[in-house]
Amino acid sequence: MTFQADPIWSSLPVPALLINADDCISGVNPAAEGFMNSSAKSLLGQPVWDRVHVDAPLEESFVRARDHGTALFVNDVDVGTGNRAPLVCNLQIAPMQGQPGWMIMLISPRELAGRMTQNHSVKSAAKSAIGMAEMLAHEIKNPLAGITGAAQLISMNLPPEDLELTDLIVEETRRIVKLLEQVEQFGNLSVPERREVNIHDVLDRARRSALLGFGGHMSIVEDYDPSLPMALGDPDQLLQVILNLLRNASEAADSKGGKIKLHTYYDHSFRTRRPDGSAQVLPLQIEVIDDGKGLPPEIASDVFDPFVSGKENGTGLGLALVSKIISDHDGWISVDSVPGRTVFRISLPRAVKKPTGKSQETK
């Protein structure tokens, strides 16, 4: 068959598989190659259920749909490929006209659209936090400074057994000031100065810093794609993001430590839509994977929102700031967490080198 060369087939924006009567893959479009991180040559002829892992009892329904010549729709299921973490997807399966027993499967990942909506919500929540901080920070910080000073003066004339109370006043006022300063970070964070960045250099800097400090009890391993092209980003802000994720992973481990894996790979199937309607390709993937206890289920879907935290005495601002930085880079971040495996995945645009020449305008 020449199905692979059909321009309509090649232009489909979602992963599509052609499945023959023996349940083997007989065709894949370019989006499916990207989704499965495999070439068409390596996929053709493979049993479909060996390469597409669906977290649902789908095979019997698939056989019934084939036997009756009807379409099958399956929503909100985890679909994995063996080469990547599962994604929540909608599946659309239908018989192929003119080829008895053959089926077409369309895989529509839902995660990207959901995270872009969440990014918008995070931006709105961050703006509210900024407004609150700008309005209240000055009015609150001044009396807190006075309270701290007064408590310290009182402590000079107290017997040792009463110092615990004044120490508590000083400690709590300082904690409130620190919280206000963290909220103010949303407003003070500058626009990223984006340029060509070797993301592996950023990861190495973060790994070394973590091992010398908060992550000294952890094992941090590298699983890099050496052919990864340059990213487009602000190296200092991206370093801040990775350090924050490494800190969270380190704090999720017990006192004996744990394992963190830094994984990079290329996936050209990730795209977003810019405000002007044009497509933004986000092919550079960075994963921070830990084997800790995982996120509490009750906050897993809101973990990037301000003031949502699974830590005791946590402010809930670290991941919100991470999400804001990645959003300002026109990228996106998601999390998949179960006990024993938490994956934060960052998707970034690549740097495209501009042609050089005398006629090129200098910007």
Side-chain angles (χ1 to χ4, degrees), residues 165-338:
L165 295 176
T166 54
D167 289 345
L168 178 62
I169 294 173
V170 172
E171 180 181 346
E172 288 301 298
T173 52
R174 286 176 175 171
R175 185 178 67 84
I176 296 172
V177 169
K178 184 178 180 180
L179 174 61
L180 289 173
E181 290 173 346
Q182 287 180 306
V183 174
E184 288 178 308
Q185 278 188 288
F186 283 99
N188 295 333
L189 191 66
S190 60
V191 176
E193 298 179 4
R194 293 194 286 177
R195 58 181 185 271
E196 286 191 355
V197 179
N198 185 330
I199 198 62
H200 295 146
D201 289 344
V202 174
L203 293 173
D204 287 340
R205 287 173 59 195
R207 180 183 60 83
R208 290 195 299 268
S209 179
L211 290 175
L212 292 173
F214 57 80
H217 63 302
M218 303 294 291
S219 169
I220 305 179
V221 299
E222 304 167 352
D223 182 14
Y224 296 163
D225 178 355
S227 64
L228 207 66
M230 302 289 275
L232 181 64
D234 184 318
D236 292 333
Q237 291 192 12
L238 292 177
L239 176 64
Q240 183 179 357
V241 166
I242 302 300
L243 282 173
N244 192 295
L245 296 180
L246 289 176
R247 183 184 299 276
N248 285 351
S250 298
E251 293 175 351
D254 57 30
S255 58
K256 296 180 181 178
K259 180 180 178 181
I260 302 173
K261 182 166 75 171
L262 299 175
H263 179 213
T264 64
Y265 60 98
Y266 192 89
D267 185 347
H268 59 75
S269 67
F270 281 84
R271 299 171 182 267
T272 60
R273 187 68 59 183
R274 296 189 182 99
D276 63 2
S278 61
Q280 170 71 64
V281 182
L282 304 175
L284 307 186
Q285 313 302 320
I286 307 164
E287 291 183 339
V288 179
I289 308 168
D290 71 73
D291 58 359
K293 57 188 177 182
L295 294 171
E298 63 272 14
I299 69 166
S301 60
D302 303 316
V303 72
F304 295 106
D305 291 343
F307 308 114
V308 175
S309 176
K311 305 175 188 176
E312 185 177 357
N313 298 322
T315 63
L317 293 173
L319 288 177
L321 187 60
V322 162
S323 181
K324 182 179 185 298
I325 291 174
I326 296 302
S327 178
D328 287 345
H329 278 73
D330 296 327
W332 70 291
I333 182 170
S334 64
V335 61
D336 180 27
S337 181
V338 295

Side-chain angles (χ1 to χ4, degrees), residues 11 42 60 75 105 110 125 157 161 177 191 264 273 322:
S11 301
S42 66
E60 292 184 6
N75 295 326
M105 177 190 294
R110 295 192 56 200
N157 298 315
E161 60 270 17
V177 169
V191 176
T264 64
R273 187 68 59 183
V322 162

Side-chain angles (χ1 to χ4, degrees), residues 154-166:
I154 293 173
S155 67
M156 297 172 64
N157 298 315
L158 289 179
E161 60 270 17
D162 293 333
L163 290 178
E164 181 179 355
L165 295 176
T166 54

